[in-house]
Structure formats: C-alpha cells, structure tokens
Amino acid sequence: MTETDGGARAARLIRNESTTEIPVHLLFRDDPDPVAVPLRPAVVTKAQVERATAANTRRTPGPAPARPVPSVDPGLVERPGRALPGVLGVAGGAVGAAGSAAALGWAGALPRIMTDLAGLDGYAGAGFGPAQWAALAGSGALALFGVGGLARGRTGGAWVLTRFGRYRGSVRRAGLLWLNPLLVRRRVDLRLRHWRSEPMPAVDTNGEALRVVVLVAWRIKDTARATLGTEDHETYLRECVEAGLARVLSRLPAVVGDRDAPVLRNAEALGDLLTRRLAEDAAPVGIEVFSAQPTRIEYEPEVAAAMRRRRIAALDARRRDSVLTTVVDSVEDTVTRLTARGLVDLDDYERKLLVKDLTVAFYTGRGE
C-alpha cells in the first residue's frame, strides 16, 4: 500500500465522517488456521431436569378455577296450581251449615225457638243416633271444607302451595278463590320492588376504604325457586348485593387512571357491571334484577381527609402547570415580536436576562 493511497483513504474517511464495520474473520486472515478445540457434551442429570421443570411450572401459573354458579334443584320450577272459583266454596259452606242445622234439629238439639221458626212445633227430636251423627259430621265437614278453602288472590301476588313439604303449584289468579284447605299456603309478592341498602363497606382496586349505598330494582320471576329454593329470598338478595359490590369495586379505581378504563365515578359503567353480576347470581333462585345502581360512594372518615388533601394538591399542581404554560407562551411571543420588529438587538446573555425578567413578571401577575 502506497502513501498516496493511505492519504486518499484517510481524507475520504474524514470528509465523509463515517466508518465501515470490519468483519471479525478479516482481522485474523494473516494468522494460521486456529486449532480446533474439542467440546465435551454437557451432562444433564435427571435431578436438574426435574428442578427446571418445577421452576417453569411455578413461573407459569395455570388458569384460574372457574367460579361455581349458584344452582337449585332443576326439578323445582314454577307450575300452575289448582284453584276453583270462590263461589263454590261459599256454596259448599252454606250447604254444610244448613245440613248441620237440619241434623241438629232432627236430633232435637236445637232450642225451642229454632224449632218454632222452622215450623216444627211440638217436635221432641229423634235423639242422637248413628244416622244423626253421620249427617251432622258430613254437614260439618262440608261446611269447614268449603269455608276453610276460601282465599283472596291479589293482583301482583301469588300463592305457593305445598303439602307435606312437597311443592304442589302456584296460583297467580286474583279475586275470591277456593284452594284445597289441606295444602299449606305461602303468599308471595310479585310486584316490582326497590331496595335501598345501608352504607356497606368496600375497597377499590388501590385498597382505599369506601362506603357505598346501592339501589336495587327487582322482582320475583319464579315463585317456586324464590320461596323453596332459598331460606329467605330477600336475605339472599342482600348478601348477593354485598358480595357483588365487593367483587366489582375491587377491580376499579376510585380516581381517574386510564381514560378508556371505567372508574367508580362513572356511574353508568359501574351500574352496568354490578347489574350484570347481580343478575347472574340471582337468576338461579327465581329473582329477576333490573338494575343495581350505586347512589352514593364516599371514602371512610379516616380516609376522606387524606384524599381531600391529595385532591386539593392535584388541583393546585394542575393550575400551576396551566399558569406556567401560559406564561412561557406569553414570554416567547413577546421576545419574538420585539426581535422581529427590530426594537431590541440582544445577544444570548441579554436574551436570557430578558426571558428571565419577563417570566418572573408574568408569573407573578398570573399568580396574583
């Protein structure tokens, strides 16, 4: 290689201000071939493989187990119960009462005045024989059976009928009805109902203690499951509200984080999540939930003071940042106009002093 070539290459390298990567194998092209170094295969024991497999298993968590869904007896489904018009019960009771009176008069047990009114003057009666006792018992049973089965059905209500602990049907009819008096009746309210909870404790995703009041709109859809599938459907609903509130609020922050993520201040999103969760838990027991809306969310007293100070500090920092941005824009506009119009001719030092004085003046004025 000549000196001319070296100088030209150096000048070209300085002029272009760039370098070229040199392959590593070219650095040793004048050296003899390196001696190959034999490599011994690594020996891996069975214990090392088991430890590595266990470590990978611990680092890769498996899928979370599915949450069990509440369920009741699949055969427990509402079906219509037997009910007759109440007129039949009234007629049966009247006939039984009349038969009882006639049997007593036949036996001569009615007072004299009753026999006179019935036109049986001087009738002493045949006494209580087998026939009289049978007539009296049959008439009395008919009267009790007819009157004892009378029931009043209300609009927006139903009767759940059971016998010896077995479900025999539900009656949703209104008006005067006759139901089998040997069945046990339980009245159920089918109207749309609102339940406002007491302040319930909860925590958000950051662990801040909260107190929440929830308004739930619900009604009974399946009378059999609501009355026989749970010990008390109202208590079950309250427990479901408390559990669903704890699950939903623990997944959301109380303050704004990600703009796309729902927060506790977003009442519509929070209500939708809580309603969906509560409807899933209450549907298997025959309760239909229309809405579950938190009406009040506040911090616990011991947390409210600290959160109030934090909110005030955040608002103050935001205001200061806004004021500083406005001041910087004003200073930049002022210096640009002064320089563009030729009113001042400043070097770098004088420009810095001017920017500093204008910033202090504008910021003080904005702060006041």
Side-chain angles (χ1 to χ4, degrees), residues 1-357:
M1 181 181 297
T2 60
E3 182 178 357
T4 305
D5 296 338
R9 180 172 298 178
R12 185 166 59 253
L13 180 60
I14 295 174
R15 183 172 61 253
N16 294 338
E17 296 182 357
S18 61
T19 58
T20 304
E21 295 182 357
I22 302 176
V24 177
H25 68 277
L26 295 180
L27 298 176
F28 307 97
R29 60 183 179 179
D30 296 336
D31 296 340
D33 295 336
V35 180
V37 179
L39 300 178
R40 292 181 298 176
V43 178
V44 182
T45 61
K46 184 178 180 180
Q48 293 176 349
V49 174
E50 293 178 352
R51 285 197 298 269
T53 304
N56 293 333
T57 304
R58 289 193 298 269
R59 287 195 297 266
T60 306
R67 186 171 60 90
V69 179
S71 61
V72 296
D73 184 5
L76 186 61
V77 181
E78 179 181 344
R79 61 178 182 270
R82 296 181 180 180
L84 299 178
V87 178
L88 298 179
V90 174
V95 172
S100 299
L104 291 175
W106 183 17
L110 290 178
R112 182 69 180 176
I113 187 172
M114 297 298 295
T115 58
D116 293 341
L117 292 177
L120 302 175
D121 295 337
Y123 181 72
F128 284 98
Q132 289 78 12
W133 280 115
L136 182 61
S139 301
L142 179 61
L144 294 177
F145 204 74
V147 177
L150 293 177
R152 184 180 63 175
R154 299 179 180 178
T155 302
W159 290 101
V160 177
L161 308 178
T162 57
R163 182 171 58 189
F164 303 117
R166 185 178 180 183
Y167 176 62
R168 305 301 297 175
S170 300
V171 179
R172 291 178 176 251
R173 296 169 54 182
L176 185 61
L177 306 173
W178 185 84
L179 305 175
N180 189 346
L182 300 180
L183 299 178
V184 178
R185 313 172 203 173
R186 184 181 301 181
R187 185 184 293 275
V188 181
D189 191 355
L190 303 179
R191 294 173 295 180
L192 181 65
R193 304 166 67 180
H194 286 79
W195 175 70
R196 182 185 297 272
S197 69
E198 297 294 332
M200 294 185 295
V203 294
D204 64 350
T205 188
N206 297 322
E208 303 293 347
L210 305 172
R211 290 191 303 179
V212 186
V213 178
V214 184
L215 180 64
V216 182
W218 63 283
R219 72 176 179 184
I220 293 179
K221 185 177 181 180
D222 192 312
T223 58
R225 294 190 172 187
T227 55
L228 305 177
T230 58
E231 183 177 1
D232 186 357
H233 60 274
E234 295 186 1
T235 303
Y236 178 83
L237 180 63
R238 288 195 294 267
E239 298 296 336
C240 287
V241 170
E242 187 173 358
L245 194 65
R247 289 198 302 267
V248 172
L249 266 65
S250 61
R251 299 170 52 188
L252 301 177
V255 296
V256 179
D258 187 3
R259 294 184 178 180
D260 297 333
V263 295
L264 298 184
R265 294 182 181 178
N266 190 345
E268 184 176 359
L270 179 59
D272 292 342
L273 291 175
L274 186 58
T275 301
R276 185 162 56 251
R277 179 73 67 178
L278 187 58
E280 293 176 358
D281 293 342
V285 295
I287 299 177
E288 185 176 9
V289 178
F290 296 96
S291 67
Q293 186 64 43
T295 59
R296 188 176 63 187
I297 301 177
E298 58 185 11
Y299 290 103
E300 289 287 353
E302 60 272 11
V303 183
M307 296 304 297
R308 189 179 300 110
R309 290 194 298 269
R310 183 186 303 177
R311 190 179 302 111
I312 293 174
L315 292 176
D316 185 65
R318 191 181 308 169
R319 184 187 66 84
R320 290 177 179 273
D321 183 69
S322 176
V323 170
L324 183 59
T325 302
T326 305
V327 167
V328 171
D329 293 340
S330 301
V331 170
E332 181 182 5
D333 185 60
T334 301
V335 174
T336 302
R337 289 186 178 184
L338 291 175
T339 306
R341 295 182 182 182
L343 298 178
V344 293
D345 187 10
L346 305 173
D347 55 10
D348 293 341
Y349 179 75
E350 293 175 346
R351 182 185 294 274
K352 292 179 181 179
L353 290 179
L354 180 60
V355 169
K356 177 181 178 181
D357 295 340

